[in-house]
Structures are given as structure tokens and as C-alpha cells.
Amino acid sequence: MFGFFKRKNKDNGASKEQIARTEASSQGSIEDQYKGLLNNHRSNLSEISTVAQSYIDKDNYTDKNEWLDALAICDIALQENKVDNTIKELYRQIYTRNWNKYVSMEYNDTDYRYWFNLNKDINDRFIKIGHTRGYCEQADLYGSARRGYRDLEKKIEYLKEGVKAEDPASLGDYGYGVYLGLPEYGKENKEEGRKLVERSIELGYESAQMLLLYIDFYDTNLNQSILLQRINEYIEKTDPVSRKPYHLLADFYLRKENDLDKAVEVMKKGIAVGGHYCEYLLGMNYLNGRIENADKNEGIRLLESAYSYHTVYAANFLGQYYSFGNDENTSIEKAILWHEKAALYCYPESSFELACIYLYNENLKDIQKGLAYLDQAIEDGSPRGLAERAYLILETEILPTNIDEAKQLLEKAMDMGNEYAPYRLGLGYQNAEFVTEPDYKKALELFELGAERNHLYSIELAGNYYRVGVGGEDEVAAEKAVKYLTRAIEMGSDYARIELAFCYETGFGVEQDYQKAFDLYREAAANNYSYANTKMAVYYEDGILGEANTAEAFNNYMIAAAAGIPDAMYHLGRYYKYAVGIPENPEEALKFFNQAAEANSAPGLTELAISYEQEYGGLEFDATKILHYMSRAAEMGYTYAQYKLGSYYYYGLVETDLNKAIEWYTKAYEQGYPYAALMLGEYYLYNMGGGETEYDKAFGYFKFAEEQNVISEGLGVCYEYGLGVEENETEAFKYYTLAANDNYTAAKYRLGLCYRYGRGTTENLTDAYRWLSDAGQNGNYNAQYETAMMLLNGEGVSMDQQQAIQMLTKIAEEDHDYAQFELGNCYLTGKGVAEDEVQAMYWYQKAADNGNEQAQKLTGKRERRKR
């Protein structure tokens, strides 16, 4: 029942007979005591009405034996058919203000069982004689009983019967539960709930007006000044003083006005007149640190007293205090003791805390016990218990992995208002645990729900999702990103500081401000959020806010590396390898690259692979290790590693595998890497895979790279020969020029040809020679051939037949068929060399063997050897 307490008088004016009776009953079990009381009253039936009235007049059951004696009077009256209004009032009184529960709080199992069954029997007998108050008392008995006796279904059954019978107390209790939508009452119905409570007031239920005040307290539409006025008016008119609901006024000051001083003042008034809920409130505030220099021992005493009057959450708070108070009173043993007391009365949060103690406390770990308490918490309706069980299934080996079960548990916990569940469900959709492909929209929806419930990680990720564009890329999304991240920062999140710094760097939702971004990084770093040091290092190295300072950058990378940030280890290796502000030190460079690789840093793995490829620091070339490290980095999604791995397969580091090469180039391209697009373009331009040509694909890839200002000769080739695009020599010349200026050797060769033969531009043999010579010096055999021919004939350059013959001979020996054919011509005609028909025929034969059609005509050889 909804009862309010008062301090009891020690001098209760009991008669000598009562004193003797209660003293005689204080020995032995409750059953023995009770049977003795029944016998006493059975022997003095004529006095029971008088004794009942004396108890009613006193209205104080601090002496638990007196409460038991009053119950025995009601029992005898029922047995002897002597139930009158006095007995009914006594029955009402001993069940109001939690006297019945106060009596039983310290009973052992045997006594409690007897006490519960006795109360159940008496309530049923009152119902049978038509006293409808029994419905509500029976419902309250089932609803507030210990574990093993509590039965919420029966509670609701009795309340509904009481409502049908128009019992005032049942109407009030049921209406209040329906108004709030408490789990056992079914769906929330505020209108119906208020009507039932108002009907209870009409029928005279003594606590109904208080229930209506509670309803007003939860009515968010009610003006707060009106609510305060109603509470004060009710306190003023309530009589006797011991029943004034100071606890409600204290709650108002705490929750509605956040005025702790006023709340404490009211709590003390409530305690002075026996308000045990006020004891709970004040004790809690003494121990939670809100009251400066509070007497913690007094706080403990207040909570213990509140618990003795069935304020079960006082036991839970004591359990939390002894676990997490972090002061001289901290004691895991006492925490367990008090949580067990609360759990005994089906308080789910205490069962949950006991589960966590036995599951995770290394000194007390008992997995089976922990799981039993977790099941108990779930049975009692703990959404945290549901979420924790899902966590054990998904994240630990304590329970078998079962994705469907975990998802169902989280969804149920979420529906019950748990704040962790939407966050964890969001991760499941983000990481494709619950679906075949990541569903970022669904994840964001869940993170936002978690944010509504003030879950910090949900707030952080909602901000992150809006920052990266999952929630859209308009101004509203930007505002939401900043709003969530700012809120998370106010809750102490350094992750959000980093994210908001990104917003300031890009001007997303705020004006671009590198100084503010840096300040946020510095704040996070000051809180030992070491990733922030890596960002500060970038600012120092790149001089974003002024002059570059590689020393400060190095120091920040050192801090981050010491904290275990893998990429910081990579950067230290980079500093030592490339002498960034410090002398080169291959030994230190390789040490940090190895550390970074061991810590799964993708750039660290990549750099280690390249070090083996380059034989850096005394390493021996090791194709197996190169492929291993680069594969690991590529599989982590590191773009450059994907590109490099594609090249290893393309060019055959260990084996040539064009399918794998294209697979990895494609992955890098999909992440926007333009050089991977160039390789894909070449693959399709030169039809490396065989089969039907797909020039449109080639052009698409080259165009993608060009849009990022990365241009090779491929785009020019497409325009020159009309491959995948309409032929356009002018465009070809433009792109050859751009690519040549970016030092692409093949583009220099083709640009030289454009100048030599006037393709897309005016013929210019001088520029032709310059570009062809440049390409030739970089190893392009075709360019070397063209250069040799220009030297041989004095085109665009002074004739130098001797140098031309040397160049032709060099590339002819490398099986360049055109060079071989021209070398044959030189020997045949004595151009730059002495005439020599044997040498001429030798080179013609070589050219013919390599498929040169002109040479084949001269030699009569028609077989074409693929080169």
C-alpha cells in the first residue's frame, strides 16, 4: 500500500495485561507466539473489542509483538464472527503505512513463510465476509512479498476484483498503476488511471488524495508553481502531523527545482515526524557527495532505518555505496549483504549488481552464481539484466554465441527503456552482426534513441554519424553533429572533442577554425586521450598554426606511441627513416615499424613491407614477408596497401595473378585512390585479360583519375585513337602534355611523337627530340628508337650517326624489332657504319623473328613470333 510513516512513542500506554501478553509472546517462533496470542484472545473474547480500540487509538506498532497481537484479534474476530467496524478499522490500520512489512523485515525463512500464509488467509477471509478492503491488502501482500512469494499476476487479479467491487483502496492503487503504465498493469492509460483515482477519492480512500498528488507530480504539462502550491496545501491540511507528506515536497525541490538546501530542510522535517522515505532521501544525499562534509555514518544509519520500514531501495543504495563510495566505508562484503537484502524483496537492480560482482570481480568470481543472479534480475524485470545477458552472449565466452537470442534480449531491454540496448543494437547493425550488410541508417536511428536516454556512447556516435554524412549532408545534419558532440563534451567525452575538432577543421556545422580544433585536441590530450597527441603532432609538423615544429611533433608522437597508439609508432618510424627533423636512424625506424606492425597499424605494416622491398636498414629482400605484411594492411582497408598488393600480383612479386591484381586495384579505386584507377584503365585499354575489348571502362577509369588531377598517357591514348570516347588528337595532345609534365615516361614518349608528326599540335622536331630523349633516358625503348632515328637523320637535333648506331644496337640487342630492322638498313647502306651485308642480314633475320613485317618480306620469313 501507499503508506507514510511516523516516529513511534516509546510510552504507548499499554495495559499490564497487554504488556504481559506481548512479553509472553516474544519467545520462540512466530507460529508459537501467534498461537499463544490466539489462545489468550480466545479465552477473553469479551475484551477483544476493547483491546482493538486501544490499538486503534494509539496507532503505533513500533513494538512488533503488538502488531502481531492486533492481527490475532482480527483473526479471532473472523473465527468467532465478531467482525464489526472496530475490527475493520484495526485491520485497515495494521496494514497501512507499511506496518505489516516493517514487522516481517528481519524474519527468517520459516517465520516469513508462516507470516505470509497467515496474512494471505486472513485477507481472503475478510474478502469472503464482504469486506472489500481485503482485495487491496491481498494485492499488496503479493506485490511486495519476498522472492518465492511475490506473484504480480495474482496482485493484479485481486486489484481487478477490488475494482469490480468498487473497493476505494483497490480503485486508487489500480488507477495509479494504470496511469504510470507499470509493467504488471499493462499499457499506460493516463486518462483511465486518473478517473479511477478520482473515484477512489469520492469513495473515501484515505491515501487517494496523495495518489492524485503523485499523478500531478508526473504530469509534465502541469505548471510547477501550481504543483508546489498543491503539495503545500496538502501538507498544511494533513492531520495528524506524523502523516504530512514532507517526502513529496523534498522530492519536488530535488527533481523539479534542483534546490538541495530546501530539500534537505524539508527532509529533516519529515524525519522529525517519522517519515522513513525522508530518511532514505537524506541518507542517500549524505552518501552521494552532494552535501558537503556530510556525516556518512549518519547517512548509513538513516538508510538502514528506512530499509527496516520496507524502503527496499535504501538497501540497494547502501549496496551501491559500499561498492562504489570509494571511502573508508568501502566494503564488498557489506555491499553484497545489502544487495542480498534488496534482492530478497525482488529488487532487480540489486540482483543485477550481485550478478556483476560474481561475474567480474576477480576475487569473488563465481560464474554460476553470477548467472543465477542475472537470471534473477531478468525475472524481476531488469532491462539491464537483459542487456547484460546479451553482452555476455556477444562479447564473452561465458555464454555460447547466439546472435538471434542476443538481438531479442536487446530489443526487449530497449522496449523497457534501457539506455545501453539501443547502443548495442546500433553497433550490431553497423557491424553487420544482425544483418547481411551494414545498415548505417538503422544504426543511427538506434544511436539517437540511446542519446535520448542519455547514453554517452550513443551521443558520441550519433554526433559522429552526422559528421560523416550518414544522416545527410545538409545544414540540419551539420547542426545535429555539433549539437550531439557538444553535449557529449559536456559529459566529459574526449572522443567528442576529437570529433568536434574535425568539424572545426572542415567548417562542418561551425565556422572553420584551426585554432579551436587544436585547442580541442589539446584538451583531450591533457586528459590522457593519447590519440589527440597524434593530431597535435600533425599541426606541429605541417605548421598549420604557424611555423612547422618537427620537435614538438616528434614529442607528441612519442607520447601517443608510449600510450600504445599504433599509428604514432608508425610516424616515429617515418621520422627516423626519412630524417624528419632528426638524423636518419634505420635501426630505430625499423624498431618502430615493427612495433606498429605488431599493433596492427596498417601504415606500419605497409612501411615494413616496403622496407623489405627496398632492403632498407640491412634487411634482405623477402618476397614472402613483403606479400604477408602488405596483405595484412590491405585486408584492413588501407588504400595504398591495396594498390601495392594489386601491383605485386600484376607484376608477379611472387606470382602473377591478374584476377587478384584487379580485385585489389578495384578495392583501392572504390576508396577513391586515383593511381589504382590508372592501373585499371591500363588493364582494360591494353586488354590484359583477353576476350572482348572494353575501352569504355578504360576511359572511365582514366577520367576518374583525371578528376583528381592524376593523369597518365592512357587518357591521351583513348582520345588519340578514339577508344571509349570520340577521337580527338587535340585532347590527346593536352593530356599527354599534362601527364608528361607530371613525369610519366610513356606520356613523354607519346608527346614527343605528337610534336614529331604534328598530331594535335604543330610539328616541332626540336620539342619532339627533347621529349623523346627524356623518355628514352628513363628507359622507354620506343623513345630510344625514335631518338636514335632523329640523331641518325639529324631531325630536330644535330646529326650524330655514331651515337644513333650505338643506341640502335643497344635496344636491338633487347629484341626491339624496329631497331633491328633499321640497324640492318644501316649495315646494308653503310649509314653510320661500314657496309656489311652479313651484318645487315643478321639484323633483318632478328627483326623478322620478332615479327617485323618489313623484315619478313626481305627474308621471306612469314612466321610471326609473339613478343
Side-chain angles (χ1 to χ4, degrees):
M1 286 299 302
F2 298 92
F4 311 102
F5 316 114
K6 67 177 184 178
R7 186 74 70 187
K8 313 303 181 297
N9 292 320
K10 292 184 179 179
D11 181 10
N12 54 34
S15 68
K16 291 181 179 180
E17 289 81 8
Q18 284 178 302
I19 294 171
R21 186 162 54 244
T22 55
E23 285 179 349
S25 67
S26 64
Q27 304 299 319
S29 69
I30 296 303
E31 182 178 5
D32 291 340
Q33 292 178 39
Y34 188 72
K35 287 179 178 178
L37 294 170
L38 285 177
N39 289 334
N40 284 335
H41 290 302
R42 197 173 282 115
S43 301
N44 298 282
L45 285 175
S46 60
E47 295 182 8
I48 64 170
S49 185
T50 302
V51 177
Q53 188 60 52
S54 69
Y55 280 132
I56 292 168
D57 293 342
K58 184 176 54 175
D59 191 11
N60 187 316
Y61 299 94
T62 305
D63 185 333
K64 297 182 179 184
N65 291 318
E66 290 185 358
W67 185 92
L68 199 62
D69 188 51
L71 184 68
I73 290 172
C74 293
D75 195 345
I76 288 294
L78 284 165
Q79 291 179 30
E80 300 297 331
N81 199 25
K82 290 183 175 295
V83 176
D84 55 16
N85 288 337
T86 300
I87 296 300
K88 289 178 181 178
E89 175 58 20
L90 180 63
Y91 171 69
R92 183 200 68 79
Q93 191 181 91
I94 64 176
Y95 280 100
T96 196
R97 289 182 285 157
N98 279 0
W99 286 122
N100 57 326
K101 300 159 195 171
Y102 160 75
V103 167
S104 65
M105 291 301 289
E106 299 302 327
Y107 281 172
N108 61 30
D109 292 343
T110 301
D111 286 346
Y112 190 85
R113 184 184 306 110
Y114 181 79
W115 173 89
F116 180 87
N117 289 325
L118 174 62
N119 281 267
K120 179 165 68 75
D121 177 62
I122 289 174
N123 288 334
D124 275 338
R125 283 190 281 148
F126 269 107
I127 291 170
K128 285 179 181 178
I129 66 169
H131 186 46
T132 59
R133 181 64 174 246
Y135 286 116
C136 186
E137 303 306 346
Q138 193 74 303
D140 186 53
L141 180 70
Y142 276 116
S144 61
R146 290 180 182 177
R147 186 172 309 284
Y149 300 91
R150 181 169 297 195
D151 190 326
L152 297 182
E153 288 185 7
K154 286 188 176 179
K155 168 188 173 178
I156 298 303
E157 285 175 13
Y158 275 101
L159 278 180
K160 286 183 175 179
E161 289 299 317
V163 169
K164 285 181 186 177
E166 283 239 303
D167 168 56
S170 297
L171 284 162
D173 195 340
Y174 188 71
Y176 184 67
V178 168
Y179 180 88
L180 292 180
L182 299 176
E184 65 265 32
Y185 289 82
K187 190 175 180 181
E188 174 189 298
N189 189 328
K190 294 190 179 300
E191 184 179 353
E192 178 64 18
R194 181 179 278 275
K195 282 182 181 178
L196 290 169
V197 174
E198 288 172 346
R199 178 60 177 157
S200 174
I201 293 172
E202 291 174 12
L203 295 175
Y205 178 38
E206 68 276 10
S207 296
Q209 190 64 52
M210 175 60 70
L211 293 178
L212 197 59
L213 268 181
Y214 275 119
I215 285 175
D216 288 342
F217 193 92
Y218 293 118
D219 185 354
T220 55
N221 295 319
L222 182 64
N223 184 281
Q224 298 303 299
S225 61
I226 294 174
L227 174 60
L228 180 61
Q229 181 183 344
R230 289 179 183 176
I231 294 172
N232 279 316
E233 286 175 354
Y234 189 76
I235 290 173
E236 185 65 28
K237 72 180 183 181
T238 299
D239 193 54
V241 172
S242 60
R243 298 185 186 180
K244 291 183 181 293
Y246 288 113
H247 69 284
L248 187 57
L249 183 57
D251 246 356
F252 177 88
Y253 286 129
L254 280 176
R255 299 190 195 186
K256 305 289 187 181
E257 294 196 348
N258 195 27
D259 191 331
L260 182 61
D261 292 338
K262 282 187 179 179
V264 168
E265 180 184 343
V266 175
M267 290 174 207
K268 289 180 178 178
K269 283 185 180 180
I271 292 170
V273 296
H276 299 293
Y277 192 81
C278 282
E279 287 184 323
Y280 162 69
L281 289 176
L282 187 57
M284 181 175 63
N285 279 282
Y286 274 173
L287 297 183
N288 65 14
R290 291 191 68 190
I291 299 176
E292 192 173 347
N293 299 320
D295 185 340
K296 293 187 177 180
N297 290 327
E298 176 63 8
I300 292 169
R301 187 196 67 75
L302 288 167
L303 288 168
E304 289 178 349
S305 176
Y307 169 76
S308 72
Y309 284 88
H310 197 74
T311 308
V312 175
Y313 16 82
N316 171 262
F317 190 86
L318 279 168
Q320 299 281 16
Y321 167 67
Y322 283 121
S323 280
F324 307 115
N326 197 28
D327 59 23
E328 67 277 7
N329 293 319
T330 300
S331 167
I332 193 65
E333 292 78 15
K334 288 184 179 179
I336 290 171
L337 171 69
W338 283 100
H339 278 311
E340 285 176 342
K341 286 179 182 290
L344 181 63
Y345 284 93
C346 305
Y347 197 78
E349 291 307 300
S350 280
S351 294
F352 176 79
E353 292 298 334
L354 288 165
C356 290
I357 288 170
Y358 288 114
L359 287 170
Y360 306 122
N361 186 302
E362 290 299 327
N363 296 323
L364 297 169
K365 187 173 285 189
D366 185 330
I367 299 300
Q368 292 309 310
K369 201 170 185 178
L371 291 174
Y373 274 118
L374 190 61
D375 288 341
Q376 189 171 285
I378 293 170
E379 180 186 342
D380 293 337
S382 167
R384 291 177 72 195
L386 292 165
E388 194 68 22
R389 186 172 182 85
Y391 169 81
L392 293 176
I393 291 170
L394 292 171
E395 310 290 349
T396 76
E397 297 180 358
I398 292 175
L399 290 175
T401 301
N402 186 324
I403 299 298
D404 289 339
E405 181 188 356
K407 182 171 179 283
Q408 289 171 11
L409 288 166
L410 289 169
E411 288 173 340
K412 186 174 180 181
M414 179 173 68
D415 291 342
M416 293 171 70
N418 180 257
E419 70 280 3
Y420 169 79
Y423 162 73
R424 188 58 186 83
L425 282 167
L427 289 184
Y429 283 100
Q430 170 187 285
N431 301 329
E433 289 176 283
F434 306 141
V435 284
T436 54
E437 295 289 334
D439 187 338
Y440 299 114
K441 293 287 186 183
K442 181 68 173 177
L444 175 57
E445 176 187 323
L446 289 160
F447 292 144
E448 290 203 90
L449 177 57
E452 286 176 19
R453 297 174 181 180
N454 217 35
H455 184 263
L456 177 57
Y457 295 165
S458 295
I459 298 168
E460 291 175 339
L461 286 176
N464 166 263
Y465 267 48
Y466 276 111
R467 184 185 70 78
V468 300
V470 175
E473 297 181 359
D474 54 13
E475 289 184 10
V476 174
E479 288 173 5
K480 285 186 176 181
V482 173
K483 178 181 175 183
Y484 279 123
L485 295 173
T486 301
R487 182 176 159 200
I489 289 170
E490 290 168 356
M491 296 171 70
S493 169
D494 289 309
Y495 172 88
R497 286 187 173 91
I498 301 299
E499 287 286 314
L500 188 58
F502 293 158
C503 292
Y504 276 110
E505 286 180 337
T506 59
F508 187 75
V510 292
E511 287 190 20
Q512 189 178 52
D513 191 324
Y514 289 107
Q515 184 63 58
K516 286 185 178 179
F518 182 79
D519 290 343
L520 285 163
Y521 291 138
R522 185 163 49 194
E523 288 172 16
N527 293 330
N528 296 318
Y529 195 82
S530 301
Y531 174 76
N533 292 100
T534 67
K535 299 301 295 181
M536 292 172 67
V538 172
Y539 273 62
Y540 285 122
E541 182 174 349
D542 294 346
I544 293 174
L545 295 177
E547 290 186 13
N549 188 333
T550 55
E552 276 299 317
F554 181 82
N555 289 338
N556 276 276
Y557 281 134
M558 285 292 285
I559 292 169
I565 304 296
D567 285 352
M569 301 169 189
Y570 151 73
H571 282 294
L572 289 175
R574 177 174 64 85
Y575 266 51
Y576 279 114
K577 179 176 181 179
Y578 300 106
V580 183
I582 56 175
E584 182 184 359
N585 188 327
E587 183 179 350
E588 285 294 295
L590 291 175
K591 180 186 82 172
F592 282 112
F593 288 150
N594 273 289
Q595 287 180 3
E598 288 171 8
N600 283 324
S601 161
L605 287 160
T606 301
E607 194 62 50
L608 191 57
I610 291 171
S611 295
Y612 275 103
E613 184 180 333
Q614 297 172 339
E615 297 185 331
Y616 178 74
L619 293 177
E620 291 184 7
F621 183 89
D622 189 325
T624 302
K625 285 184 178 180
I626 294 168
L627 192 65
H628 168 72
Y629 289 127
M630 199 64 78
S631 295
R632 282 175 58 189
E635 286 162 3
M636 292 167 68
Y638 190 54
T639 307
Y640 180 69
Q642 293 172 335
Y643 166 74
K644 283 289 289 183
L645 188 59
S647 296
Y648 289 159
Y649 284 116
Y650 193 87
Y651 295 111
L653 174 71
V654 175
E655 60 173 335
T656 299
D657 189 327
L658 291 180
N659 289 331
K660 284 185 179 180
I662 296 309
E663 175 189 344
W664 286 109
Y665 281 144
T666 301
K667 287 181 184 292
Y669 157 74
E670 287 172 348
Q671 293 198 73
Y673 195 62
Y675 297 99
L678 291 184
M679 294 303 297
L680 289 167
E682 286 193 13
Y683 176 82
Y684 288 106
L685 178 63
Y686 299 115
N687 198 22
M688 301 296 291
E692 292 186 10
T693 55
E694 296 181 83
Y695 296 129
D696 55 335
K697 282 189 176 181
F699 179 77
Y701 285 121
F702 288 133
K703 197 65 180 170
F704 173 86
E706 183 264 337
E707 288 167 358
Q708 298 184 62
N709 296 316
V710 174
I711 303 167
S712 71
E713 84 286 354
L715 194 56
V717 171
C718 288
Y719 276 111
E720 182 175 359
Y721 298 104
L723 305 176
V725 66
E726 187 175 343
E727 182 179 326
N728 189 326
E729 288 189 345
T730 302
E731 285 292 288
F733 174 77
K734 178 180 80 172
Y735 287 115
Y736 288 147
T737 302
L738 291 171
N741 286 325
D742 274 345
N743 211 33
Y744 277 89
T745 299
K748 293 176 182 178
Y749 161 68
R750 291 190 177 275
L751 182 60
L753 293 181
C754 287
Y755 279 118
R756 184 171 187 190
Y757 300 110
R759 296 172 186 167
T761 186
T762 304
E763 181 181 311
N764 186 326
L765 295 179
T766 301
D767 282 345
Y769 180 80
R770 178 168 64 87
W771 285 110
L772 290 169
S773 175
D774 191 341
Q777 289 169 15
N778 282 287
N780 186 295
Y781 285 171
N782 290 327
Q784 290 172 1
Y785 165 75
E786 295 289 343
T787 304
M789 293 303 295
M790 294 184 81
L791 284 167
L792 187 66
N793 298 312
E795 299 174 302
V797 64
S798 299
M799 182 184 294
D800 189 338
Q801 293 185 340
Q802 184 178 359
Q803 185 182 352
I805 294 298
Q806 289 176 353
M807 292 179 67
L808 287 172
T809 302
K810 179 181 177 184
I811 57 176
E813 288 172 349
E814 296 291 339
D815 280 343
H816 190 286
D817 64 297
Y818 285 107
Q820 291 169 335
F821 179 74
E822 289 299 336
L823 198 56
N825 287 339
C826 288
Y827 277 107
L828 182 65
T829 62
K831 193 173 185 177
V833 290
E835 289 185 22
D836 189 332
E837 292 186 2
V838 174
Q839 280 293 313
M841 189 54 64
Y842 169 80
W843 287 112
Y844 285 143
Q845 189 67 51
K846 284 277 190 183
D849 289 344
N850 282 315
N852 187 282
E853 292 183 1
Q854 290 177 291
Q856 288 174 347
K857 290 177 183 178
L858 286 172
T859 61
K861 189 177 180 69
R862 290 288 178 264
E863 296 85 359
R864 182 183 180 92
R865 192 180 80 186
K866 186 177 180 181
R867 62 179 177 88

